[in-house]
Amino acid sequence: MKIAVLGTGMVGKAVSGRLAELGHHVTVGTRDPDATRARDGEWPTPVATYADAAAGAELVVNATNGQATLEVLGLAGAANLADKVLVDISNPLDFSQGMPPTLSVKDTDSLGEQVQRAFPDAHVVKTLNTLNADLMVHPESLGRPSSVFVSGDDAEAKAVVSRLLAELGHEDVIDLGGIETARGAEMYLPLWLRLMGSLGTPRFNLHVVR
Ligand SMILES: NC(=O)c1ccc[n+]([C@@H]2O[C@H](COP(=O)([O-])OP(=O)(O)OC[C@H]3O[C@@H](n4cnc5c(N)ncnc54)[C@H](OP(=O)(O)O)[C@@H]3O)[C@@H](O)[C@H]2O)c1
């Protein structure tokens, strides 16, 4: 599949690299491709502007900073997102008041819903925001199955994303429901942050036993 991964942080690197290893045609989107190459050296996948990356893709992954997500997707262009699956991994973490970060949207709204409202023609699926970048693409490294979630209004888009999650090795994908259920996945972050502090590592995940 032709996939654009927007964002060049830990998540963008991990997800773009693994999807390319799995045989997908991946282009990474960034604000300034030359600056990104100068910073990181050559990338294993092509690097383009957000708009160019999204234009050539069948499926787009948002792996950008939560405070910049709406701006970045605006740069990618609504027309380049229309009728496409938009996998949203971002979290609305606000570090402006120091650590631990707070959520800039919560309770009655979520970043996933804000993205869906801003880009109504895209099929937004919130997923993978509840675990560390390395575990997103190598869940087997925990040595036992763990759980991930999908939230979105379009059943077909969630099916496409669930197949991609299976390719990445996720054995337990829980469909939470419509995009408003992204509130639950995003509001897990305050607990995730305390768990990381207590365990001293980001290498852990939920396993929902039922
Ligand atoms: N790190 C994790 O393990 C993890 C786990 C779960 C979820 N998440 C979520 O996944 C997303 C990506 O996380 P990350 O840790 O890879 O990276 P990040 O530092 O949160 O940001 C990722 C990218 O956002 C882009 N960006 C565009 N405009 C920006 C602006 N105005 N200010 C800051 N960044 C801007 C940058 O890409 P360019 O410079 O290339 O444009 C940057 O590399 C975040 O929303 C995060 O909350 C992260």
Side-chain angles (χ1 to χ4, degrees), residues 78-165:
N80 293 328
L81 302 174
D83 298 323
K84 294 179 185 174
V85 177
L86 175 53
V87 179
D88 178 26
I89 306 181
S90 65
N91 278 310
L93 296 179
D94 177 0
F95 291 88
S96 64
Q97 305 302 313
M99 290 294 284
T102 56
L103 296 174
S104 56
V105 54
K106 64 186 174 73
D107 294 328
T108 54
D109 199 3
S110 62
L111 187 50
E113 288 164 275
Q114 290 181 339
V115 169
Q116 184 64 84
R117 284 200 301 274
F119 302 93
D121 295 331
H123 306 304
V124 179
V125 179
K126 186 97 202 179
T127 192
L128 291 179
N129 65 306
T130 53
L131 71 177
N132 156 262
D134 181 49
L135 295 178
M136 291 177 192
V137 296
H138 284 296
E140 79 289 351
S141 66
L142 283 176
R144 64 181 80 173
S146 59
S147 309
V148 290
F149 310 101
V150 289
S151 301
D153 292 337
D154 188 281
E156 201 181 315
K158 283 193 287 195
V160 169
V161 173
S162 296
R163 283 197 292 276
L164 264 187
L165 292 170

Side-chain angles (χ1 to χ4, degrees), residues 8-11 30-31 50 63-66 68 72 90-91 131 133 136:
T8 58
M10 286 171 57
V11 176
T30 184
R31 281 170 284 192
Y50 289 127
T64 63
N65 189 280
V72 165
S90 65
N91 278 310
L131 71 177
M136 291 177 192

Side-chain angles (χ1 to χ4, degrees), residues 1-5 19-20 22-27 45-46 56-59:
M1 196 186 289
K2 285 187 192 166
I3 298 178
V5 177
L19 289 174
L22 290 169
H24 294 285
H25 296 280
V26 180
T27 301
T45 53
E58 299 160 79
L59 177 147

